[in-house]
Amino acid sequence: MYKRQDVRVQFGTNYMVWGGHILRHTLGTWLSLVKVEKDIWKVYKKVKKINFAELLKDFFNNDKLKGTISVLLRNIGLSANRASALTAVILFREYTLDPGYYPIGGMQKFSDILKDIFINYGGEVLFSRKVIKILTSNRKVKGIVLEDNKKVFANIVVSNTDATMTFEELLDIKTLEVSIVKRLEISPSPFVVYLGLRKNLLKDISNDISNIWPFFSYDIRKIPLMSRKDIINGKVYITMISFQSLHDPILIKNNSTTIGIFATVNYESSNFWKEYKEKLSLLMILKAQELIPFSDQDIDKKVVATPYTFYEYTLNKNGSAFGWASIPSQISASILPQSTSVEGLFLVGHWTTIGSGQGGVPKVSFSGRRVASIILKKMGKEWKYGAYQ
């Protein structure tokens, strides 16, 4: 079950709602590309080689309006003058044509459903079993080796892990992809403060609100990325504040509220985060309290995740949140395609290039569906309506 979510952007005390009539009435010209142009391939031809700032220049003269529109690029960790225009247009299509959904019960529910379906079709899932090697013979996949040295033999392997790890560490042969992953730019990492409050914010914040992107600059060349120097000097930029429990009744217990406060940062070292983790989390809470009505006494639980935390749990290079950076030179499907130079090895997730850049769960899900189609076709089977024949 999913709940629809619109988008609110906050500038100090001013708000703008996306997904409703305000946007549709004031930005009709812009939406002629984003909404009216149904054929995404026509859009692709128009914008595939330019960045988002160049596209905005064709539509708007007002810098504040361009800055407002660009705020959604925080979803992929890039500024408008670096982000692919195609990636940005597709992102906006998701938020204006169908303003996004949140899985009731949390994001883990999405994975759980896929797992259950996989098992129902006869699959076996191994939890907490790290893969340490992909076996090959004559440049063909032969299986994998788990960390307990158990071997699982197969002539097809789909890798969802960081492509740098796949080609530099897991494979027992060198491939042409090694030089590709070395030159590709990765996206930044998040620093997140998760709070459980002894307070229900439902009466203070609209039930329609899922995320707030607070910012204090309309410069489309900047994203609120905190540098090492910023963190040391206590200079805080919040990328996004999310309120999962405000639209997910399963998460509301004992009149409480959950909040996620996100920042965009560089990776740094584990020692650096040990030193500044607590200081930065407290500063981010203070900044959030300028926008949201809660006090320190309302905080029942706090969990902090640094880029190193995300690396430890996902093994994504430098704790990267979005895989490869979605800049114009990196979105082509031919750069790092899902079919690799090793027969039987396929890529899936945000560490492959699918032709339109990254965009979270929808794009990752699309890559999974497409690689399934590619594999079935190679097996001589036809993909049809979510099944194969």
Side-chain angles (χ1 to χ4, degrees):
M1 181 179 181
Y2 298 87
K3 180 170 180 178
R4 172 176 165 151
Q5 52 183 0
D6 285 349
V7 182
R8 181 177 71 172
V9 184
Q10 178 165 336
F11 311 87
T13 57
N14 299 314
Y15 301 88
M16 183 173 184
V17 176
W18 295 353
H21 294 294
I22 295 175
L23 180 62
R24 295 192 180 102
H25 289 167
T26 59
L27 305 180
T29 305
W30 162 246
L31 289 176
S32 67
L33 175 69
V34 176
K35 180 181 178 182
V36 178
E37 186 62 83
K38 301 293 185 181
D39 189 346
I40 191 62
W41 294 113
K42 290 182 180 179
V43 177
Y44 177 80
K45 292 177 182 178
K46 293 178 182 177
V47 304
K48 64 178 180 178
K49 294 182 179 181
I50 63 175
N51 62 46
F52 192 48
E54 293 173 293
L55 180 62
L56 288 176
K57 186 178 179 180
D58 290 338
F59 284 89
F60 308 109
N61 293 320
N62 187 291
D63 289 338
K64 289 186 177 181
L65 184 54
K66 288 190 284 188
T68 303
I69 291 172
S70 298
V71 73
L72 268 187
L73 295 180
R74 296 183 185 189
N75 280 14
I76 56 174
L78 293 172
S79 60
N81 65 318
R82 300 211 64 233
S84 158
L86 178 63
T87 303
V89 168
I90 294 175
L91 195 63
F92 271 86
R93 287 167 73 95
E94 292 177 358
Y95 274 94
T96 57
L97 294 180
D98 196 9
Y101 292 82
Y102 181 86
I104 297 299
M107 292 305 298
Q108 183 61 42
K109 289 293 183 181
F110 186 82
S111 299
D112 290 343
I113 290 171
L114 293 177
K115 180 242 335 176
D116 292 341
I117 293 173
F118 181 69
I119 292 174
N120 288 339
Y121 275 92
E124 181 183 0
V125 180
L126 302 177
F127 293 104
S128 302
R129 303 287 291 278
K130 185 179 179 181
V131 175
I132 60 172
K133 190 176 290 292
I134 299 173
L135 299 172
T136 63
S137 177
N138 297 321
R139 305 194 71 81
K140 296 180 181 180
V141 162
K142 291 301 178 183
I144 60 172
V145 181
L146 303 177
E147 59 184 342
D148 59 1
N149 288 320
K150 178 182 177 180
K151 296 181 179 179
V152 180
F153 296 101
N155 56 9
I156 293 177
V157 170
V158 179
S159 176
N160 186 44
T161 193
D162 175 3
T164 303
M165 175 176 286
T166 299
F167 293 105
E168 291 188 351
E169 299 180 29
L170 296 183
L171 277 171
D172 54 6
I173 56 173
K174 294 296 182 182
T175 69
L176 59 85
E177 286 89 356
V178 172
S179 61
I180 296 173
V181 298
K182 284 183 180 296
R183 66 177 171 81
L184 291 180
E185 177 185 339
I186 66 172
S187 58
S189 184
F191 181 98
V192 189
V193 181
Y194 300 99
L195 299 178
L197 304 183
R198 304 184 193 91
K199 181 179 182 180
N200 190 344
L201 293 178
L202 188 58
K203 63 180 181 296
D204 300 302
I205 301 177
S206 169
N207 190 38
D208 292 331
I209 299 305
S210 300
N211 301 310
I212 294 178
W213 284 265
F215 69 103
F216 305 93
S217 171
Y218 292 99
D219 190 343
I220 62 175
R221 298 168 299 178
K222 296 180 179 179
I223 59 170
L225 182 136
M226 286 188 289
S227 66
R228 180 188 183 95
K229 183 178 179 181
D230 288 334
I231 295 169
I232 292 173
N233 293 333
K235 193 173 183 179
V236 175
Y237 300 104
I238 292 178
T239 304
M240 181 182 73
I241 304 173
S242 64
F243 307 89
Q244 298 90 337
S245 60
L246 293 189
H247 56 269
D248 189 347
I250 293 178
L251 299 179
I252 299 177
K253 296 180 180 179
N254 301 321
N255 206 35
S256 59
T257 303
T258 58
I259 298 178
I261 310 170
F262 294 76
T264 305
V265 296
N266 295 314
Y267 182 60
E268 307 302 343
S269 66
S270 60
N271 287 334
F272 177 85
W273 291 117
K274 285 178 182 177
E275 183 175 355
Y276 289 100
K277 173 181 176 179
E278 184 63 18
K279 174 185 176 181
L280 180 55
S281 69
L282 293 175
L283 290 173
M284 287 176 63
I285 291 172
L286 284 173
K287 183 66 72 173
Q289 287 171 334
E290 296 176 7
L291 307 172
I292 307 165
F294 75 94
S295 67
D296 291 348
Q297 289 68 39
D298 294 322
I299 300 174
D300 180 57
K301 184 73 173 179
K302 181 178 79 170
V303 177
V304 181
T306 72
Y308 196 78
T309 308
F310 287 101
Y311 168 74
E312 287 184 310
Y313 278 92
T314 68
L315 296 182
N316 283 335
K317 185 176 181 180
N318 291 358
S320 171
F322 319 105
W324 303 121
S326 296
I327 57 180
S329 62
Q330 292 191 172
I331 66 170
S332 172
S334 63
I335 295 174
L336 198 64
Q338 294 188 261
S339 296
T340 73
S341 63
V342 181
E343 186 175 334
L345 177 62
F346 300 89
L347 303 180
V348 73
H350 61 195
W351 293 106
T352 182
T353 56
I354 59 175
S356 59
Q358 308 306 340
V361 173
K363 291 287 187 70
V364 169
S365 300
F366 171 78
S367 74
R369 183 182 178 92
R370 189 164 77 171
V371 84
S373 178
I374 293 170
I375 293 171
L376 289 170
K377 186 175 181 180
K378 288 182 179 293
M379 295 171 63
K381 299 180 182 291
E382 180 184 359
W383 178 275
K384 187 175 181 181
Y385 305 119
Y388 64 85
Q389 299 178 338

